[in-house]
């Protein structure tokens, strides 16, 4: 069982690294390059954003799904049962309260990710005027950095969880 637990924990940490790392790469490397392209070849930058968005969405949702799966397995391997989720006993004590805080932040993150995709998704980009396109790009950038900060906070909650939770 210990091997399964360690394997699941390893996958959880790797998925967190992919999720956070890909966001940093997008914001710190891809976005500035696209911004430079925007002034000279804005049509190309729009097309590239569509492609990047399509590929990135797969990586993002797969790592989030893996985080859910391995996170739930880890909770099970810590000895909690399905009834602890239903009766709420899982959320008692420092581990439980930290877990609850983390899950609420994860729910917020999933909501922001869906909003980011729907509002700024590639389908609407094709029909946007240049002004709309610029405005949406700005909104996407703010939202993207906000999502990164939130993810870092969630990772912090994860570290606390692995050490028994925060006593508050
Ligand atoms: C963006 C989403 C998430 C990120 C970035 C994240 C990140 C992390 C990190 C960095 C750790 C610390 C691992 C260690 O120090 O050993 C951790 C632990 C943990 N995470 Fe997550 N996590 C996420 C989502 C979830 C979800 C959705 C669940 C539950 C369904 C979950 C449950 C756990 C548990 C139970 C631990 C403690 C594992 C243990 O020590 O047994 N996480 N997480």
């Amino acid at each position: 069982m210990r091997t399964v637990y360690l394997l699941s924990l390893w996958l959880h940490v790797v998925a967190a690294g992919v999720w956070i790392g890909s966001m940093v790469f997008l914001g710190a490397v891809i976005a500035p390059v696209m911004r430079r392209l925007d002034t000279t070849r804005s049509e190309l930058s729009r097309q590239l954003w569509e492609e990047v968005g399509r590929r990135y969405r797969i990586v993002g949702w797969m790592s989030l799904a893996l985080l859910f799966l391995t996170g739930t397995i880890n909770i099970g391997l810590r000895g909690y049962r399905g009834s602890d989720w239903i009766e709420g006993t899982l959320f008692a004590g420092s581990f439980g309260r930290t877990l609850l805080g983390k899950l609420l932040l994860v729910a917020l993150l999933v909501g922001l990710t869906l909003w980011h995709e729907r509002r700024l998704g590639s389908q609407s980009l094709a029909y946007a005027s240049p002004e709309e396109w610029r405005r949406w790009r700005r909104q996407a950038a703010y939202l993207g950095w906000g999502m990164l900060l939130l993810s870092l906070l969630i990772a912090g909650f994860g570290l606390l969880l692995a050490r028994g939770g925060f006593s508050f």
Side-chain angles (χ1 to χ4, degrees):
M1 256 326 155
R2 188 165 160 74
T3 314
V4 180
Y5 172 66
L6 286 177
L7 187 67
S8 168
L9 197 55
W10 176 75
L11 274 175
H12 196 75
V13 174
V14 169
V18 171
W19 170 255
I20 292 175
S22 61
M23 268 191 200
V24 172
F25 182 69
L26 206 64
V29 179
I30 302 285
V33 172
M34 297 288 209
R35 216 171 295 134
R36 212 165 310 142
L37 262 187
D38 235 3
T39 48
T40 49
R41 304 176 66 188
S42 100
E43 205 44 49
L44 176 65
S45 126
R46 206 188 280 220
Q47 276 169 13
L48 282 175
W49 265 125
E50 273 187 47
E51 276 299 314
V52 168
R54 203 169 303 135
R55 304 284 311 172
Y56 178 74
R57 210 167 298 146
I58 301 170
V59 175
W61 284 114
M62 275 179 68
S63 41
L64 267 187
L66 199 55
L67 281 163
F68 264 106
L69 181 72
T70 51
T72 310
I73 291 174
N74 293 343
I75 294 169
L77 291 175
R78 272 179 173 261
Y80 293 100
R81 299 281 144 257
S83 53
D84 292 313
W85 286 87
I86 297 162
E87 289 158 17
T89 39
L90 173 60
F91 303 115
S94 351
F95 180 84
R97 280 195 299 269
T98 309
L99 179 65
L100 182 61
K102 179 171 169 174
L103 291 180
L104 290 175
L105 292 176
V106 170
L108 178 63
L109 179 67
V110 169
L112 286 179
T113 308
L114 284 171
W115 185 40
H116 190 254
E117 275 188 12
R118 272 186 74 89
R119 182 68 185 85
L120 313 157
S122 57
Q123 262 147 10
S124 43
L125 292 186
Y127 306 104
S129 67
E131 299 76 52
E132 265 178 334
W133 164 235
R134 259 192 299 278
R135 189 156 40 89
W136 290 358
R137 284 272 318 266
R138 211 171 318 121
Q139 284 179 7
Y142 286 133
L143 203 53
W145 286 114
M147 283 160 59
L148 175 63
L149 287 180
L150 187 56
S151 303
L152 290 173
L153 187 64
I154 294 172
F157 269 66
L159 290 182
L160 286 173
L161 271 181
R163 283 146 193 84
F166 183 70
S167 359
F168 54 93

